[in-house]
Amino acid sequence: MRVFITGASGWIGSAVVPELLGAGHQVIGLARSDASADALARAGAEVRRGTIDDIDTLRDAAAESDGVIHLAFKHDIAFSGGFEAAADADRLAIDAFGEVLAGSDRPFVIASGVLGLSPGRLATEQDGLAGSPVGDHVTGGPAKRLANAHATAALAERGVRSSVVRLPPTVHGDGDHGFLATIVGTARAKGVSGYVGDGANRWPAVHRSDAATLFRLALESAPAGSTLHAVADEGVPIRELAEVIGRHLDLPVASIAPDDADAHFTWMSTFIGLDSPVSSARTRELLDWQPTGPGLLEDLDKGHYFTTPTA
C-alpha cells in the first residue's frame, strides 16, 4: 500500500516507517521541519511538508494514499497546560481524514492511550468504548482525546476501515524521551528515586518495536471499528521501576506521600500514582500480534536511560 503517516519522524513514527517499508509498503511522511524531512528521506520515505494544522495538505495526501496512519499529536502543548487545544487540533485532522476516506474501505489507524482507562482493575479492549462509562478523572483534554478515538472507530459506519491503537504511557526503548525518561530525570533532580504511597500501582508498557509492528498489522488487517491495545507488560509496579532507577543512579528509593506528589513530580503527579493495568489478549488473538522486545524492567536495566542526563 501507499501509506500516508503523520508524526512519521517522531518516537513511534520513526519505528513505524521502517516497519512498513520492510513489509513492502510505500510511505509518505508528513514533515514540519527540515530535520524531519531529512530523517524521512534517509529512511526511504517520500516527504510531504506541512503540519497537522494544514488541513488541505492532510486531505490531499490522504486522497493520494491507500491508507493513513495518524500518529501526530501536539505533546509539546498537551503537557504544558494545553491538552484541550492539542485534542481539538487532533479532532480536526481526524475529521479531515474521515471525510476523504469515507466510502473507500481504506484503512485509517490512529494512536490513543490506555493510562487511567479503568483505574484499579485490568482494562480490556472493551473498556472505554463509546457509550461505556469512564471514571470522573477523565475530563478536559483526556476526555476530548477519548472522544476522538470514538469518532475514529465510528468511521467504520461510513465505509472506512478505521482502527484505534491504544498505547501505554511507557513506549520504551533506546532514545526514549517520554514518561520514563522524565521519571529518571526527576530522580536525578530530586536526589531520590520516588514512588507514590506504597508504589504498588501498576503501569502497562510496550517496546517501541512491538508497537510499530502492531500499527502495521492494524493497517493491513484490523477489522473496521477495532480498538487495539499495544501492551506487552500488563502492569509493572511503579516501586519496581523506582528500585531499578535508584540502583542505576546510586540514589535512595523512597515513598512520596500523596500530598507531596505535586511538588515532587510536578506535571507527572497526575499520572505517576495511577493504578492502570491493561490486557492485550483480544488484540493478540485478533491480529496474531506477539511482542518480542524486552519488557520494561529488562529494558530499563540495560542502562541506556542513564547514559546522559534526561529532562
Side-chain angles (χ1 to χ4, degrees), residues 148-168:
N148 293 350
H150 295 163
T152 300
L155 289 172
E157 301 172 2
R158 297 174 57 194
V160 181
R161 188 163 61 78
S162 59
S163 58
V164 177
V165 176
R166 291 173 175 166
L167 295 162

Side-chain angles (χ1 to χ4, degrees), residues 174 181 208 280:
D174 194 356
R208 183 174 72 135
S280 60

Side-chain angles (χ1 to χ4, degrees), residues 176-212:
D176 173 24
H177 295 288
F179 278 15
L180 187 53
T182 299
I183 295 172
V184 172
T186 298
R188 272 200 176 97
K190 300 292 185 177
V192 60
S193 182
Y195 53 87
V196 177
D198 63 5
N201 62 295
R202 298 152 292 176
W203 272 16
V206 69
H207 192 270
R208 183 174 72 135
S209 61
D210 291 321

Side-chain angles (χ1 to χ4, degrees), residues 70 76 110 116 142 149 166 187 198-199 215 225 248 256 273 277 285 287 302:
H70 176 44
D76 53 341
I110 73 159
R166 291 173 175 166
D198 63 5
F215 275 102
H248 277 269
I256 306 300
E285 180 180 359
L287 296 181
K302 290 178 182 293

Side-chain angles (χ1 to χ4, degrees), residues 113-141:
V114 298
L115 188 62
L117 188 64
S118 183
R121 68 172 178 83
L122 189 69
T124 75
E125 292 87 345
Q126 297 303 112
D127 286 303
L129 300 182
S132 64
V134 295
D136 294 337
H137 63 287
V138 183
T139 59

